[in-house]
Amino acid sequence: MLDRLGTSLKDALKKLAGKTVVDRAAVDELVKDLQRALIQADVNVKLVMALSQAIKTRSLEEEPPKGMSVREHVLRIVYQELVRLMGSTGEVKLGPQVILMAGLQGSGKTTTTAKLARFFQRKGLRVAVICGDTFRPGAYEQLFTLCSRIHVPCFGDPTDKDARKLVREGLKAHAGTEVVIIDTQGRHALEADLIQEIIDINAISNATHRWLVIDAALGQQASEQARRFHEAIDIDGVIITKMDGTAKGGGALSAVAETKSGIIFIGSGETIEDLERFDPDGFISRLLGMGDLRALVERAEESISEGEIDVNAMMRGKFTLRDMYKQLEAVNRMGPLKQIMSMLPMGNLELPGEAYDMTSAKMAKYRIIMDSMTAAELDEPSLLSSSRVQRIAIGAGATPDEVRELLKYYKTMKRALKGVRGGQGKFNMQRMMKRFGGM
Ligand SMILES: Nc1nc2c(ncn2[C@@H]2O[C@H](COP(=O)(O)OP(=O)(O)OP(=O)(O)O)[C@@H](O)[C@H]2O)c(=O)[nH]1
Ligand SMILES: [Mg+2]
């Protein structure tokens, strides 16, 4: 979305490379590029002008800190001003809480409810959701389907038209669950009865948080919505969705930042994993191509914390299907390889397409197939006779060939690990896994 901004800034900053003094012409040129990119991203013109002025003044008047090149000096100022434009982030507590989701129709409330359930689940909290949407046809099925994939209980009743009652019952049903998320109905505009309903549900649920979901494609108009919902139920966090599908993301971000409602998460895709904690520093540093190692550390920590993969057993040559499953899970929790790469300083590095393939569709399929296996089979893959392969295929909605393909992949992995164990060359599996985990 703000990709173009990143690219044009990098080009502009290149022009400053090797310079010994900050000259007005170079800064002017850089600011002009920056303005063009920000306005294309739908950032409010007034904000853009204020930012341009600050960058110009500071670049020319502030003394570059000792040991800092002209390029670094300007880059630092551009970075600081952009971070300021993006505002601050709100706090997300990892404890018992009730979260009320609000937002207009199609903004992404239901999808985000499931993504948040996944987020808290990964942090080790028990999560449940309530479908408080009695307006949209199929609302309960949509939420139920998303949540059952991650084994999160979903309360609702598609035949009941009383959202207030559903919320009351849902809270009772989920009593004792640490995090309860309430999905609500959306309309194409802020109608009076919608506002009244959300006010009532807020009172009934005594919600700890009221989070507003906004579509990034709204651009600058996002501020109006943020303001109106804030007036009704005192929004304490905004989630901007569909950042992956619009060029106006900068507008939505800066407009919401200006209303002083903290942006807490960003939705960047349709899958349940496509939710990122919003962090202005990280966001801008990634945009400027400086890499965001912090975000990566967070993810890597989560993925390895369970310590599920017994590297030592693997080194001794014991590598079962269960180990492979855990491995795939770990990679899955880290998010698509492509996303991980973009967080690294060498974010532009191109990987061959096949490298990504294994992390997405196929990986999901393999996991489903392995879910149909018994514990004994996972521990002892040699048990897998052709009749068992047949049974597993049916259970997983796959073809026997797909099951055999997985077994072939498993054998290849096992052989590769044996090679590693044999100590051919300097490659050290344990060290590699550690590095992967410790990044
Ligand atoms: N690309 C992309 N699509 C998203 C994202 N978040 C949600 N969507 C899609 O947006 C559409 C609407 O999302 P929902 O979650 O149903 O929106 P909602 O706010 O619950 O809509 P109503 O229940 O009708 O008010 C769906 O097709 C989602 O898959 C995102 O971050 N990126
Ligand atoms: Mg919905």
Side-chain angles (χ1 to χ4, degrees):
M1 50 100 224
L2 287 172
D3 292 354
R4 219 168 320 157
L5 175 60
T7 315
S8 46
L9 271 180
K10 260 178 254 169
D11 287 347
L13 286 163
K14 255 186 226 145
K15 291 175 196 153
L16 290 171
K19 295 222 176 202
T20 46
V21 286
V22 189
D23 62 82
R24 189 172 293 274
V27 172
D28 279 347
E29 207 176 321
L30 176 105
V31 166
K32 230 177 251 146
D33 283 345
L34 184 59
Q35 285 174 347
R36 204 173 306 128
L38 287 171
I39 287 169
Q40 259 170 14
D42 197 43
V43 177
N44 180 285
V45 175
K46 238 173 39 205
L47 292 179
V48 174
M49 289 310 156
L51 174 129
S52 311
Q53 199 49 52
I55 291 174
K56 271 191 207 169
T57 316
R58 290 186 58 197
S59 300
L60 297 169
E61 287 177 6
E62 282 178 22
E63 207 50 48
K66 262 209 177 69
M68 205 177 257
S69 70
V70 163
R71 184 182 161 279
E72 284 165 338
H73 166 65
V74 178
L75 176 66
R76 187 175 131 263
I77 291 169
V78 169
Y79 169 70
Q80 286 174 338
E81 292 301 324
L82 282 173
V83 170
R84 200 197 307 254
L85 179 74
M86 293 297 145
S88 59
T89 179
E91 204 190 334
V92 176
K93 286 193 210 83
L94 298 178
Q97 56 193 306
V98 174
I99 300 166
L100 177 59
M101 306 293 283
L104 290 192
Q105 198 166 61
S107 57
K109 288 179 299 299
T110 306
T111 316
T112 308
T113 300
K115 288 178 180 181
L116 283 170
R118 180 74 171 139
F119 172 86
F120 286 109
Q121 182 185 54
R122 273 206 202 158
K123 301 285 182 187
L125 291 157
R126 270 176 302 120
V127 192
V129 305
I130 298 172
C131 173
D133 179 357
T134 52
F135 179 74
R136 183 197 160 92
Y140 173 73
E141 285 76 12
Q142 186 195 2
L143 186 61
F144 177 83
T145 307
L146 288 169
C147 288
S148 61
R149 266 184 231 149
I150 50 172
H151 310 293
V152 161
C154 173
F155 181 90
D157 178 356
T159 61
D160 198 327
K161 290 289 160 220
D162 185 347
R164 295 161 180 86
K165 177 170 149 247
L166 281 171
V167 169
R168 223 174 266 127
E169 288 174 357
L171 286 167
K172 236 178 255 159
H174 293 319
T177 304
E178 288 160 302
V179 181
V180 178
I181 311 172
I182 306 171
D183 185 20
T184 61
Q185 64 156 310
R187 297 281 178 81
H188 66 275
L190 279 152
E191 291 155 18
D193 59 334
L194 171 76
I195 289 286
Q196 192 52 52
E197 183 181 289
I198 197 101
I199 290 174
D200 291 350
I201 292 180
N202 183 34
I204 290 166
S205 63
N206 193 16
T208 326
H209 293 294
R210 290 148 307 276
W211 287 351
L212 175 64
V213 181
I214 286 186
D215 185 333
L218 275 179
Q220 289 178 45
Q221 292 165 32
S223 68
E224 175 63 15
Q225 255 186 47
R227 220 169 267 132
R228 305 251 330 250
F229 271 100
H230 189 74
E231 278 163 21
I233 52 165
D234 194 14
I235 295 298
D236 65 347
V238 177
I239 300 167
I240 301 192
T241 62
K242 311 188 199 179
M243 285 293 273
D244 52 312
T246 173
K248 289 182 163 186
L253 280 170
S254 55
V256 171
E258 220 195 354
T259 67
K260 303 278 185 280
S261 310
I263 297 165
I264 39 176
F265 286 99
I266 283 182
S268 52
E270 292 193 65
T271 83
I272 213 153
E273 307 290 343
D274 296 322
L275 184 75
E276 284 176 50
R277 217 24 201 107
F278 179 65
D279 146 42
D281 296 275
F283 182 76
I284 298 297
S285 51
R286 225 181 310 162
L287 198 64
L288 297 180
M290 301 201 295
D292 176 14
L293 289 162
R294 250 187 317 141
L296 187 70
V297 168
E298 244 193 18
R299 281 197 184 201
E301 274 171 3
E302 272 173 7
S303 304
I304 304 298
S305 65
E306 292 167 39
E308 289 169 326
I309 301 172
D310 186 350
V311 179
N312 288 322
M314 271 163 54
M315 299 298 289
R316 289 194 302 272
K318 190 177 170 301
F319 177 69
T320 64
L321 277 166
R322 198 186 290 278
D323 296 319
M324 189 167 95
Y325 186 93
K326 287 172 187 166
Q327 235 181 41
L328 292 181
E329 272 263 283
V331 174
N332 191 46
R333 274 198 296 268
M334 297 273 294
L337 201 51
K338 204 166 176 175
Q339 221 166 308
I340 294 171
M341 296 302 294
S342 79
M343 289 190 214
L344 291 171
M346 69 281 200
N348 305 331
L349 196 80
E350 284 295 323
L351 275 188
E354 309 90 82
Y356 298 136
D357 273 1
M358 189 51 211
T359 66
S360 51
K362 197 168 274 178
M363 202 167 87
K365 185 111 218 183
Y366 281 4
R367 286 166 68 224
I368 294 167
I369 292 175
M370 284 190 272
D371 277 335
S372 296
M373 294 181 183
T374 65
E377 287 163 352
L378 287 170
D379 287 329
E380 198 45 70
S382 63
L383 291 175
L384 291 167
S385 59
S386 67
S387 65
R388 286 189 186 223
V389 165
Q390 192 77 32
R391 188 210 77 229
I392 291 162
I394 293 168
T399 64
D401 271 345
E402 285 171 319
V403 180
R404 278 189 282 271
E405 187 195 292
L406 174 143
L407 291 174
K408 203 171 133 209
Y409 176 76
Y410 160 72
K411 280 179 192 143
T412 311
M413 290 268 289
K414 190 170 171 159
R415 212 173 308 123
L417 283 168
K418 260 204 188 125
V420 173
R421 193 165 55 103
Q424 290 150 359
K426 282 216 184 104
F427 188 75
N428 179 328
M429 182 66 186
Q430 192 144 20
R431 196 187 308 148
M432 191 197 87
M433 301 272 298
K434 264 209 191 110
R435 270 191 48 195
F436 194 54
M439 268 190 316

